[in-house]
Amino acid sequence: MSEFSAADHAWMGRALQLAERGRLTCDPNPRVGCVLVRDGECIAEGWHARTGDAHAEIRALESAQAEVAGATAYITLEPCSHYGRTPPCADALIEAGIARVVVGATDPNPKVSGRGLERLREAGVAVTAGLMAEQSERLNPGFFRRMRSGLPYVRAKLAMSLDGRTAMASGESRWITSAAARADVHHWRASSSAIVTGVDTVLADDPALTARDLEAEFLPPQRVVMDTHLRTPTDAQMLTDENGLLIIHGGTMPAREAEHTQAGAELWQVGLDGDGHVDPVAALSALAEAEINEIWLESGPRLAGAWIQAGVVDELVVYLAPHLMGHEANPLLILPGLEAMADRLPVQWLDSRRVGEDLRMTLRLHEAEEV
């Protein structure tokens, strides 16, 4: 028999709902929810809203409407046991007299994983872990990926016609999808730590790459351009607004570096791959070190294809528009070397739904490590 009751599942489900409320604001920390239950009744709820603020457990303890001693705490992620930006939550639960703690996922950081649970057990608290752990991990794919592998979680956004085309042969591409699909993209952008594109897209479209027209509060994602030879124009739209731009390049170019720095860009230099472009693993490793959890890749077919073939893309978010653009139009991806059926890259369906006039398909690449 399961060690978790139906009530345990219900309360953890509520904690996961609460954790979702921090989706747009708590980065780079994980999204965490907490419910305190005593005698079968909820006496407090909390969630982590933003980095530096109280964690979910503390918010729940502070908002309790009844005595918390002897209560059960349902927490979507293992309580912290170390001093970071805030004191250890495990200690606060012990001091409050919590009798039982039910945890979703354990902390993926190998340096601290399990220590919060151990501290609680040593203090005499009854602890069980693993309830709805998969849901907690799905809520924080970038945090888990970064802690486990040192890379962010990457979603590649693609938009295509019914015949798999992304732009006319002339380069004209506005707009392939409906207004509803474009609004949906802004929600995805807002929930990401960074939006990444390539210099070819900057040269062709001069995009803003901001999250706009959202009613909810959100943290502006970091904008990043992969630009091996620093070809980004110094008057590009992303260098003339207040949102900042990071350019990752691949060589020492003092004159161009000075021009771009003067224009307001932050520059990082990383190594090159075998084709002489910015190495995607090196770039993503650097972004992970800067606590970037989730990346929204919104680029042209070459960069998206290269990242897919490098094995660093975890999900595809594909918008399919109900029209035909013809065989001379530009393809969805550039994927050289796929010559036989055995070379195909398999994907796994995660979700599909209508968004306005379009179909949005979410797929996981089998090559990417599962979170």
Side-chain angles (χ1 to χ4, degrees):
M1 291 181 60
S2 171
E3 60 184 320
F4 302 112
S5 68
D8 289 336
H9 281 83
W11 292 123
M12 185 60 76
R14 176 56 182 166
L16 287 163
Q17 290 177 333
L18 294 169
E20 179 70 32
R21 296 185 183 183
R23 174 173 292 277
L24 303 182
T25 57
C26 73
D27 201 60
N29 283 358
R31 299 141 186 158
V32 181
C34 175
V35 177
L36 301 182
V37 177
R38 185 182 174 89
D39 299 326
E41 299 290 335
C42 175
I43 60 172
E45 296 182 337
W47 66 93
H48 185 45
R50 54 184 52 81
T51 296
D53 286 1
H55 288 188
E57 301 93 319
I58 305 304
R59 292 188 65 177
L61 290 170
E62 291 177 346
S63 66
Q65 300 300 308
E67 175 60 52
V68 300
T72 295
Y74 294 88
I75 312 166
T76 59
L77 186 67
E78 177 183 358
C80 60
S81 58
H82 62 286
Y83 280 89
R85 296 181 177 94
T86 58
C89 292
D91 289 355
L93 294 168
I94 293 167
E95 292 170 7
I98 296 296
R100 181 185 178 220
V101 172
V102 181
V103 170
T106 56
D107 193 321
N109 187 340
K111 296 181 180 179
V112 299
S113 180
R115 294 185 181 178
L117 304 182
E118 182 181 359
R119 181 173 295 191
L120 290 167
R121 291 187 177 112
E122 289 176 348
V125 179
V127 177
T128 49
L131 176 59
M132 303 175 75
E134 183 179 351
Q135 290 90 325
S136 180
E137 292 192 24
R138 280 206 303 264
L139 192 61
N140 297 288
F143 180 76
F144 276 81
R145 171 59 46 75
R146 180 166 65 86
M147 289 299 169
R148 287 172 173 169
S149 68
L151 295 174
Y153 192 87
V154 179
R155 295 182 178 94
K157 173 259 181 181
L158 304 167
M160 66 179 182
S161 63
L162 189 60
D163 51 349
R165 302 292 160 168
T166 61
M168 304 307 293
S170 65
E172 181 184 0
S173 62
R174 297 184 178 179
W175 296 100
I176 293 174
T177 55
S178 64
R182 297 196 297 273
D184 189 59
V185 167
H186 284 282
H187 284 275
W188 282 99
R189 288 178 177 178
S191 67
S192 302
S193 311
I195 304 168
V196 176
T197 193
V199 65
D200 289 343
T201 298
V202 176
L203 294 170
D205 300 332
D206 192 20
L209 290 187
T210 54
R212 304 184 293 277
D213 303 322
L214 275 71
E215 295 182 0
E217 178 187 3
F218 65 94
L219 299 175
Q222 171 70 63
R223 298 178 304 184
V224 184
V225 175
M226 298 293 146
D227 184 1
T228 302
H229 303 294
L230 283 179
R231 294 185 293 139
T232 299
T234 54
D235 61 351
Q237 184 175 186
M238 286 187 284
L239 282 171
T240 58
D241 62 27
E242 69 283 1
N243 293 295
L245 178 64
L246 168 63
I247 300 177
I248 300 182
H249 63 101
T252 302
M253 296 163 278
R256 292 185 183 180
E257 290 175 37
E259 291 175 0
H260 285 83
T261 300
Q262 186 174 3
E266 180 181 358
L267 303 181
W268 292 359
Q269 180 181 345
V270 301
L272 303 179
D273 62 16
D275 296 322
H277 301 295
V278 167
D279 182 79
V281 174
L284 290 170
S285 295
L287 289 167
E289 289 180 6
E291 297 189 309
I292 296 294
N293 287 329
E294 297 179 29
I295 285 179
W296 181 252
L297 177 63
E298 196 166 328
S299 70
R302 188 201 64 78
L303 181 61
W307 278 32
I308 288 171
Q309 290 193 306
V312 298
V313 176
D314 300 287
E315 283 185 27
L316 303 178
V317 180
V318 184
Y319 295 87
L320 178 63
H323 53 239
L324 302 170
M325 295 172 63
H327 72 281
E328 294 183 350
N330 294 338
L332 180 68
L333 296 165
I334 296 176
L335 295 169
L338 305 184
E339 299 177 356
M341 294 293 280
D343 299 325
R344 293 174 297 173
L345 302 178
V347 296
Q348 174 187 353
W349 285 101
L350 296 179
D351 180 70
S352 62
R353 65 186 65 194
R354 283 281 297 274
V355 179
E357 300 174 359
D358 306 309
L359 177 65
R360 187 188 76 198
M361 300 170 287
T362 309
L363 310 106
R364 177 180 292 129
L365 284 159
H366 283 196
E367 286 78 3
E369 173 193 351
E370 291 194 13
V371 176

